[in-house]
Amino acid sequence: LKAEPLVEENLYAIAPADAGLTLDVAMNYRDLRGVPLTLPDRGHSLRIIAENTAKACGSNLDVVIEADSLSILKDLVRKGQCWTILPLAAVQEDMAAGTVSAAPLHSPAPKRRLELCYPSDRPISRLADFVGRTISSTAAQLVKSGAWPGIFLA
């Protein structure tokens, strides 16, 4: 595959609203040790990043529920059953509604890089090129406006 970088986004600790996390106070990644988490299964890139980051700081994660659905992850957090690790864009509406709280993570700060991928063994079709340019343009606009917290890479 031919990969073109699109957006890099930080991952955050996402907790029930009553946990009182704030975007102004970063949380050390090691402080997630012992916190019951819901994350996607082990093959999901978000889970791989979360576990590799824990390993890098000499910690581990207590994953009590695996769910590959974003809506299920967020619902479990809203109900107070556990915390999760997600990009801020995934929970902006929930934060505005006061149903979850979030804090940036540090030491180390986990990041996720999103890429557009095309087959490398054949020319890109006009339609695929159009869709790729549309996705890239939309991502750029969302990042520039602040609607998508991240760094536009393309």
Side-chain angles (χ1 to χ4, degrees):
L1 288 176
K2 175 186 167 204
E4 294 180 7
L6 188 62
V7 175
E8 183 177 85
E9 53 189 357
N10 291 322
L11 300 180
Y12 291 72
I14 311 299
D18 63 5
L21 300 182
T22 72
L23 298 178
D24 299 329
V25 180
M27 180 178 185
N28 190 301
Y29 203 88
R30 283 185 292 274
D31 292 340
L32 290 173
R33 174 178 250 166
V35 173
L37 295 171
T38 180
L39 289 172
D41 71 51
R42 291 187 184 271
H44 194 285
S45 63
L46 190 62
R47 174 75 173 266
I48 293 167
I49 293 167
E51 290 194 345
N52 286 346
T53 304
K55 211 176 283 185
C57 67
S59 189
N60 58 22
L61 300 175
D62 183 16
V63 179
V64 296
I65 300 173
E66 290 184 345
D68 288 336
S69 163
L70 178 61
S71 62
I72 291 173
L73 292 173
K74 294 190 321 178
D75 195 45
L76 290 165
V77 172
R78 283 190 295 261
K79 290 180 178 177
Q81 295 180 335
C82 43
W83 291 23
T84 194
I85 300 169
L86 290 171
L88 199 55
V91 294
Q92 284 181 312
E93 290 178 9
D94 299 281
M95 289 182 60
T99 58
V100 301
S101 59
L105 292 162
H106 72 88
S107 299
K111 298 179 184 301
R112 178 167 77 165
R113 187 178 202 164
L114 304 173
E115 299 176 331
L116 281 174
C117 295
Y118 301 96
S120 59
D121 61 344
R122 60 186 175 272
I124 299 170
S125 70
R126 287 181 32 205
L127 180 58
D129 180 60
F130 171 77
V131 170
R133 284 186 287 114
T134 302
I135 290 170
S136 183
S137 173
T138 302
Q141 291 170 4
L142 290 170
V143 169
K144 185 177 180 181
S145 73
W148 187 350
I151 299 168
F152 184 69
L153 302 171

